[in-house]
Amino acid sequence: MPPPTRTTIRPDLARSWLLTAATKPGTFARPTDVDTMILDVEDAVAPNDKPGARDTVVEWLGRGGENTAWVRINDATTPYWAVDLDAFAGLPGLSGVMLAKTESGSQIDATAERLPHGTPILALIESAVGLEAAPEIARAEATFRLAFGSGDFRRDTGMSDDVMAMAYPRSRLVIASRAARLPGGPIDGPTISANDTILQRDCEATVSLGLTGKLCLHPDQAATVNRALSPSAHDIAWAHDVIADLGADGERVRDGSDLPRLAKAKKVTHLAQVFGLD
């Protein structure tokens, strides 16, 4: 039996982002249900192991072809940041970088200067300082999407993982992202628990607050994340009804209130096609 087909999802639309330790090259290949891989040379790697892990990622991404992934690099205040960038810049398999603990737009700019022009940067916001600077970070030229480092953020602020407690920082990222006209919505933090009920609860919060991606710590989480962050069957049916009523080009639009409905319906049908649901 042939292996399952792995669909390639554009990074601006990617839902599940799987973090995997750079010390485990056997986990680098993207599983079928995962939209995007991130090889982690930051928190997942102890200081003494960083040189070896970095070399492993360089060797793997250097092959190109199907060996493609994003890399979470160390934050700009550490001595590892420049070494990471010098090692990964220009590798054929590098899809982009995730900058850990981003706290200013200038850190994005400095990171971009060390990478080939146009390399996308995910700004991982993990602190109160980073959240306060979210609008500035989102407006930096090289910022591709914002991501929420919810675990470190909670440790920094003392906040709990309760959905209500996390509503404010998630909303801030959504608003900053939209105001800066970033190509994709923010990526939510991971669910630490292996409990499916808790993962589903967290995904519902992600969707309700307007985030469009979610970090994963295990490949088994991806299917639930993708399902929750995709248009539902009800959404798709509604979208088709709206388009049938108003016309694909808006030829039957009656007033200004119809235009937002049609735009939303067309977005839903587009996502359904991209995700293979329609």
Side-chain angles (χ1 to χ4, degrees):
M1 178 181 294
T5 301
R6 292 189 303 171
T7 303
T8 299
I9 303 296
R10 288 182 359 220
D12 58 317
L13 301 178
R15 302 154 295 180
S16 52
W17 295 71
L18 178 62
L19 281 162
T20 191
T23 53
K24 301 177 180 179
T27 65
F28 288 3
R30 180 168 64 90
T32 302
D33 288 333
V34 172
D35 284 350
T36 309
M37 292 296 296
I38 306 174
L39 311 184
D40 187 5
V41 298
E42 194 232 359
D43 272 356
V45 181
N48 290 341
D49 295 332
K50 288 185 187 293
R54 187 182 299 115
D55 290 344
T56 298
V57 173
V58 168
E59 192 277 331
W60 193 83
L61 293 178
R63 300 178 207 164
E66 293 189 359
N67 288 20
T68 61
W70 293 65
V71 179
R72 176 159 78 167
I73 62 172
N74 290 275
D75 77 80
T77 67
T78 69
Y80 310 113
W81 170 79
V83 182
D84 287 346
L85 290 169
D86 289 345
F88 302 134
L91 291 175
L94 182 69
S95 300
V97 300
M98 170 183 274
L99 179 61
K101 299 176 176 64
T102 308
E103 293 192 331
S104 70
S106 62
Q107 291 178 342
I108 296 289
D109 295 338
T111 298
E113 288 175 1
R114 290 176 171 266
L115 293 166
H117 180 72
T119 302
I121 299 173
L122 292 176
L124 185 61
I125 294 177
E126 306 182 72
S127 66
V129 171
L131 188 66
E132 287 293 284
E136 170 195 327
I137 293 167
R139 289 193 300 270
E141 183 178 355
T143 298
F144 181 68
R145 289 175 77 171
L146 302 180
F148 186 30
S150 50
D152 279 350
F153 181 83
R154 292 196 302 270
R155 284 185 283 274
D156 181 52
T157 61
M159 297 170 72
S160 79
D161 66 349
D162 180 78
V163 170
M164 182 63 72
M166 288 291 100
Y168 172 71
R170 284 169 168 155
S171 297
R172 280 285 304 267
L173 296 184
V174 170
I175 292 167
S177 178
R178 178 59 183 158
R181 298 294 191 268
L182 293 182
I187 301 164
D188 203 357
T191 296
I192 307 299
S193 173
N195 184 292
D196 288 340
T197 300
I198 293 176
L199 176 60
Q200 184 62 41
R201 178 207 70 177
D202 289 352
C203 287
E204 290 171 0
T206 297
V207 172
S208 69
L209 291 168
L211 296 93
T212 59
K214 185 170 174 62
L215 297 174
C216 299
L217 301 179
H218 194 281
D220 288 349
Q221 295 178 321
T224 298
V225 168
N226 289 347
R227 184 169 57 252
L229 273 60
S230 297
S232 68
H234 179 272
D235 294 333
I236 296 169
W238 170 86
H240 283 305
D241 287 345
V242 169
I243 292 172
D245 179 36
L246 301 180
D249 297 320
E251 57 268 24
R252 292 185 293 279
V253 165
R254 295 173 289 273
D255 54 51
S257 64
D258 285 337
L259 293 174
R261 291 173 61 235
L262 180 59
K264 181 179 179 180
K266 293 173 76 170
K267 180 178 181 180
V268 167
T269 57
H270 172 66
L271 291 176
Q273 290 173 352
V274 169
F275 300 146
L277 303 173
D278 199 7

